[in-house]
Amino acid sequence: QMCIRDRDKTQRIRRTPNELKEATLRAVSELSKEKGLSRITMVDIGEKAGIRVDVLKRNYTSVEKILSLYAASVDYWISDLFTPKHPMATINEKVMTEVFTNLANALYNDSEMQKLLFWELSEDNPTTRRLAANRELFYADVFTRYNDLFKDTGLHIDIISALINAGIYYLILHRKRSTFWGVDFSKRPERKRFIEAIGQVITLVFNTLEQQKQTVEIARKLKLKGVALDVIAECTGLSNEFVKQL
């Protein structure tokens, strides 16, 4: 009887809204390590946080609402990538390299971010769909700017960026399962090579962009000198239509 009274007393602790939120999110964080986000129930959260289920329901309605709140508290990393040091309005090789290498380092170091991605990939529900959609909205402006920069280069910069981003996700989330292409991404030396390789890929992409600019400039000079358009197109690899527009 004493144990029951003590437990009831613990469950009836009066908390401020912020204290209730902190206790709830802390419980979700601990439960995510024990059983994964997809298996957490309202009862689990109540037991872990020492909060009655009816109190949780009154404040948060459902476990989905709690998980959505937790996801928002963890999914801060995308916004952190775009600091005043490299605002979204700036697009160049250095910025793109910083964004993706910062993403990789952040994901390597944050187990909660990793669990959030695992959940997002394994569960199809309104919360996981909203998480994915919100990221797209956050850097939609970046897509437009990079697509404009690489217009007419033949490089699909949006898909190249997606491949780099997805590669970062997969290789870090997969690293404890096995090696990948013979590389153990869980080892610190390979992690360093991984970060370096991200920069190498981006450098190759921007080198191609510079080469394309030089080719276009050569084509423009040849056109000014009266060289036939079909000859310019053949020698430069540019399309006849593009040469006409120079």
Side-chain angles (χ1 to χ4, degrees):
Q1 291 180 343
M2 179 63 73
C3 291
I4 293 174
R5 285 198 297 271
D6 289 345
R7 184 181 62 196
D8 288 344
K9 182 178 179 181
T10 299
Q11 291 180 333
R12 288 185 172 86
I13 293 174
R14 296 183 66 85
R15 293 180 171 92
T16 66
N18 282 338
E19 289 172 340
L20 182 70
K21 178 180 177 182
E22 289 177 5
T24 301
L25 295 182
R26 186 164 53 249
V28 173
S29 176
E30 293 173 5
L31 287 165
S32 72
K33 299 171 186 175
E34 297 172 9
K35 59 194 308 182
L37 288 165
S38 62
R39 297 173 60 193
I40 294 174
T41 66
M42 191 75 87
V43 173
D44 292 332
I45 297 170
E47 290 179 351
K48 180 68 70 173
I51 301 171
R52 298 200 315 274
V53 172
D54 64 304
V55 174
L56 286 174
K57 289 182 177 179
R58 186 165 62 248
N59 283 271
Y60 302 113
T61 309
S62 66
V63 68
E64 286 75 21
K65 291 288 183 63
I66 293 176
L67 292 176
S68 182
L69 184 66
Y70 168 77
S73 72
V74 174
D75 196 24
Y76 57 82
W77 44 304
I78 290 294
S79 60
D80 281 357
L81 298 179
F82 298 99
T83 66
K85 184 178 179 182
H86 41 73
M88 287 193 291
T90 304
I91 51 172
N92 56 45
E93 178 184 344
K94 181 175 182 291
V95 170
M96 191 174 186
T97 301
E98 283 186 352
V99 167
F100 281 121
T101 55
N102 286 348
L103 168 61
N105 282 317
L107 190 55
Y108 256 118
N109 294 325
D110 197 319
S111 61
E112 288 197 291
M113 287 162 51
Q114 295 167 23
K115 288 182 175 64
L116 191 65
L117 281 177
F118 271 125
W119 180 47
E120 186 179 313
L121 291 170
S122 61
E123 291 288 319
D124 180 21
N125 59 54
T127 300
T128 55
R129 288 195 295 272
R130 186 168 57 251
L131 280 172
N134 284 345
R135 290 198 197 99
E136 290 291 290
L137 288 173
F138 187 88
Y139 43 62
D141 185 53
V142 176
F143 298 158
T144 301
R145 293 174 183 274
Y146 275 100
N147 284 334
D148 288 344
L149 181 64
F150 283 83
K151 184 180 179 181
D152 299 318
T153 64
L155 290 171
H156 306 303
I157 190 61
D158 50 352
I159 297 178
I160 291 171
S161 299
L163 287 169
I164 296 172
N165 202 157
I168 291 170
Y169 285 173
Y170 183 80
L171 292 172
I172 293 176
L173 295 179
H174 179 273
R175 73 192 189 286
K176 294 182 180 179
R177 296 292 182 269
S178 72
T179 59
F180 198 86
W181 274 73
V183 179
D184 187 345
F185 288 91
S186 65
K187 301 295 185 182
R188 186 165 292 278
E190 304 300 4
R191 170 177 170 174
K192 181 180 178 183
R193 288 208 307 137
F194 180 31
I195 301 299
E196 290 174 349
I198 293 170
Q200 289 170 355
V201 170
I202 294 170
T203 294
L204 289 172
V205 171
F206 274 87
N207 283 347
T208 301
L209 174 63
E210 288 304 313
Q211 291 169 7
Q212 182 73 4
K213 287 181 179 179
Q214 292 173 13
T215 300
V216 169
E217 186 59 28
I218 290 170
R220 183 177 288 108
K221 290 179 179 179
L222 291 173
K223 186 177 179 181
L224 288 173
K225 290 182 178 296
V227 177
L229 300 184
D230 58 337
V231 174
I232 297 175
E234 181 182 353
C235 294
T236 62
L238 300 172
S239 68
N240 283 312
E241 190 61 33
F242 184 78
V243 174
K244 288 179 183 178
Q245 296 173 1
L246 289 176

